[in-house]
Amino acid sequence: MHIDESQIQSEGIFQGIVENLQDGIIIVQDQKLAYCNPSVSGLTGYSMDDLLNGEVGFLSPQSIELLVSRYQDRVEGRPVPQIYEIEILQKGGGAIPVELNLSKVSYHGRPAVLGIARDISKRKAFEEELLNSEQRFRALIENVPVAIWVTAKNGKTVYISPNVEQIYGYTVQEILAGGDTFWFDRLFPDDRDKVIQAFGELFSANVPFNIEYRIQRKDGAWIWLYDRAKIVMEKGPEAFAYGVFSDITEQKQMVQQFQQAEKMQAIGQLAGGVAHDFNNQLAGILGYADLLRDGAKDNPELSHYADNIIMAVKRAADLTSQLLAFSRKGKYLSITVDMHQTILEVVSILRHSIDKRITIEQELAASPSTTIGDPSQLQSAILNCAINARDAMPDGGVLGFFTKVVTLDEEFCKKIPYEIPSGEYLQISIEDSGIGMDEGTVRHIFEPFFTTKERGKGTGMGLASTYGTIRNHRGAIHVTTTPGKGTTFN
């Protein structure tokens, strides 16, 4: 057979290219390795002679099993991929992943299989790092106490992180299936317009979306959210809002409580000063009224007038004593008081004066049940709360008294707006199933002369004096309420 010089030169060029490729080139013929380039030696660590003499096996058992299985599929006419990922065993004992591209060729005039093996260990390491990074990022998103969201211009939520359910109550599936107005429909009425306006300006003018608002949870409760977002362009001209919101209800409540405590302290100082000055004026009026009554013993009409003045002065004195109790400037005893006995006395009073449709429940579990204080003031404080509960149930209901010993740690004491040390406390809870109170009423409930009752049916000093009494006994008082469901004083 005649082979001309150009053919020899062409084959030489081809061999030079193949032997300098970074990819490994192998040719298998009659189930034996008929050819491999130096890169295969580099991949495996074995010499060319060892590889071509068939003295070493450089395929892992799993890779051999895969290749045999794919070969059988091809023989039986089933479609098989051309590219495989297999492991090549190295002389030093390690293994590296390679991408193997197989094709049928003719080698020296006989059928053979050409394999191109590419080292993909760096790519695999990168993919693994990317996967680990994605898993870390996903774990971060799903465990931070905020919700991350993506929304289209029309308000449709296209992504929200799973922990939204902890904050909002709704699942991811419920939110994504809720439509364009799902979020806006649950905004607090007073906040709705400002949120919609801010959301619109985010898309129309790229004004930063940075806003606090109230929204209704799935369970009906209203919570405060701090929400911020920015615009991100995706899919050409389409814009999406990427945002994150957090529940700031507790912070809002703490701020309100501290502001309320400061206001109550200022009101208390004012009330205390007024009460002292008023008491001094009443002392003068009472003295002259006594003299008038003594000098009018022979004049029944004047004596009657004097008695009325003295009665009015005493009622005014009761009012100033409540003001002094509120301002924590009144006189009080400091003896051991059994609060269970005090509550039983209050219950006894109530059973003879409240609507028979109101059921009284008791669960007095505190042990010990004693504290140091003024029994008369403490009884008045509990009675005032109970009367408030009674008035909240015009159609009847349940009035409950509960006690237990609680331990307040330093972290809790720092969060509440009262300066009380950590330790064990006797907690008294007075619950009712009445009409409850709105947020505006709760903010003023302990202020002097604040009342929601009709004119002439209340002085607005009952709960104010209760507040002063509890604070005077180095305690704290807190009210939780839901309109239509009831109120609890703790």
Side-chain angles (χ1 to χ4, degrees):
M1 183 176 72
H2 175 71
I3 300 177
D4 61 25
E5 186 177 346
S6 62
Q7 184 179 357
I8 295 174
Q9 185 178 8
S10 176
E11 290 179 356
I13 293 172
F14 177 76
Q15 184 175 359
I17 293 174
V18 169
E19 296 197 351
N20 284 282
L21 287 174
Q22 291 185 346
D23 293 340
I25 305 296
I26 61 172
I27 296 177
V28 177
Q29 195 173 55
D30 299 329
Q31 298 184 358
K32 294 180 180 179
L33 185 64
Y35 171 81
C36 68
N37 69 348
S39 291
V40 177
S41 176
L43 287 173
T44 62
Y46 293 104
S47 68
M48 298 283 286
D49 290 339
D50 289 340
L51 291 169
L52 293 172
N53 290 335
E55 296 179 0
V56 295
F58 58 87
L59 295 179
S60 68
Q62 295 86 351
S63 298
I64 294 174
E65 182 180 350
L66 174 65
L67 292 173
V68 170
S69 172
R70 293 291 169 81
Y71 176 77
Q72 187 65 32
D73 288 341
R74 181 178 282 107
V75 170
E76 295 176 3
R78 288 189 289 269
V80 294
Q82 188 175 348
I83 300 176
Y84 309 90
E85 286 189 9
I86 63 171
E87 277 190 339
I88 285 184
L89 302 179
Q90 295 181 301
K91 186 175 182 179
I96 59 171
V98 298
E99 184 179 81
L100 186 62
N101 189 323
L102 297 178
S103 59
K104 294 180 179 179
V105 295
S106 175
Y107 185 65
H108 294 309
R110 295 171 50 225
V113 175
L114 170 67
I116 302 175
R118 175 168 294 175
D119 183 357
I120 57 172
S121 55
K122 290 183 179 180
R123 190 185 81 188
K124 282 290 186 181
F126 176 76
E127 289 174 352
E128 184 176 358
E129 177 59 29
L130 187 63
L131 177 62
N132 291 337
S133 177
E134 181 182 349
Q135 290 173 342
R136 287 194 297 268
F137 182 68
R138 184 175 297 276
L140 177 65
I141 288 179
E142 293 180 359
N143 289 283
V144 292
V146 298
I148 297 171
W149 54 271
V150 181
T151 301
K153 185 177 182 179
N154 61 1
K156 174 72 174 178
T157 301
V158 297
Y159 170 81
I160 194 159
S161 55
N163 49 354
V164 67
E165 187 173 359
Q166 300 174 12
I167 299 174
Y168 192 30
Y170 291 97
T171 64
V172 171
Q173 292 74 20
E174 288 173 322
I175 295 172
L176 294 181
D180 301 351
T181 63
F182 183 87
W183 198 262
F184 299 122
D185 289 344
R186 286 156 181 78
L187 292 171
F188 192 73
D190 292 347
D191 298 339
R192 192 171 188 271
D193 288 344
K194 72 174 183 180
V195 174
I196 293 175
Q197 180 181 350
F199 186 79
E201 291 175 349
L202 173 66
F203 280 94
S204 64
N206 201 18
V207 176
F209 185 79
N210 194 328
I211 193 170
E212 295 178 358
Y213 58 87
R214 287 159 290 184
I215 198 165
Q216 193 169 34
R217 282 175 46 90
K218 188 176 182 178
D219 60 11
W222 292 98
I223 58 172
W224 276 96
L225 297 182
Y226 173 45
D227 205 347
R228 51 266 191 218
K230 67 176 184 177
I231 293 295
V232 175
M233 304 301 294
E234 287 187 8
K235 300 176 182 177
E238 191 169 0
F240 290 85
Y242 279 61
V244 56
F245 65 76
S246 55
D247 184 353
I248 59 169
T249 307
E250 185 176 345
Q251 295 95 307
K252 281 284 186 180
Q253 291 173 343
M254 287 176 59
V255 169
Q256 289 177 354
Q257 288 173 359
F258 278 104
Q259 289 174 343
Q260 182 72 4
E262 290 176 352
K263 182 174 69 174
M264 296 293 282
Q265 184 178 5
I267 295 174
Q269 292 173 348
L270 176 62
V274 169
H276 274 296
D277 291 342
F278 194 49
N279 257 349
N280 292 335
Q281 300 298 321
L282 290 176
I285 296 171
L286 184 61
Y288 282 110
D290 283 334
L291 290 174
L292 179 61
R293 183 174 59 180
D294 291 341
K297 290 180 179 179
D298 298 331
N299 189 330
E301 186 176 0
L302 288 177
S303 181
H304 177 68
Y305 291 156
D307 286 339
N308 286 341
I309 293 172
I310 291 170
M311 188 181 302
V313 169
K314 289 182 177 179
R315 283 199 297 266
D318 289 339
L319 187 60
T320 58
S321 68
Q322 289 179 315
L323 275 173
L324 289 170
F326 168 76
S327 63
R328 303 165 60 191
K329 293 183 179 179
K331 296 179 180 179
Y332 67 96
L333 298 175
S334 184
I335 61 175
T336 300
V337 183
D338 186 340
M339 294 309 299
H340 285 176
Q341 182 60 38
T342 300
I343 292 172
L344 292 175
E345 292 170 359
V346 170
V347 170
S348 178
I349 295 171
L350 292 171
R351 289 194 189 279
H352 295 89
S353 61
I354 65 173
D355 192 320
K356 300 303 180 184
R357 294 175 296 175
I358 296 177
T359 302
I360 298 178
E361 296 181 349
Q362 302 172 63
E363 188 176 320
L364 309 181
S367 181
S369 60
T370 56
T371 187
I372 302 298
D374 187 310
S376 177
Q377 289 193 13
L378 289 170
Q379 185 187 77
S380 294
I382 294 172
L383 184 59
N384 283 330
C385 290
I387 290 173
N388 192 78
R390 176 203 66 186
D391 294 342
M393 297 184 288
D395 299 321
V398 179
L399 171 59
F401 295 87
F402 307 90
T403 67
K404 62 180 179 180
V405 174
V406 296
T407 301
L408 307 183
D409 57 26
E410 290 186 7
E411 184 178 353
F412 177 84
C413 292
K414 289 178 182 178
K415 290 181 179 179
I416 61 176
Y418 302 103
E419 294 181 1
I420 58 174
S422 58
E424 286 194 343
Y425 286 82
L426 173 60
Q427 177 175 299
I428 302 171
S429 300
I430 302 170
E431 299 181 2
D432 69 68
S433 59
I435 58 176
M437 294 176 283
D438 58 30
E439 187 178 333
T441 301
V442 173
R443 282 200 299 267
H444 302 286
I445 193 171
F446 295 119
E447 295 176 10
F449 306 113
F450 176 79
T451 179
T452 57
K453 299 174 184 176
E454 298 177 15
R455 184 181 295 273
K457 290 191 176 181
T459 63
M461 285 303 304
L463 291 177
S465 62
T466 296
Y467 175 88
T469 296
I470 299 302
R471 297 294 293 118
N472 220 13
H473 286 75
R474 298 182 298 279
I477 185 168
H478 179 66
V479 59
T480 56
T481 182
T482 302
K485 294 186 178 180
T487 300
T488 300
F489 286 93
N490 288 311

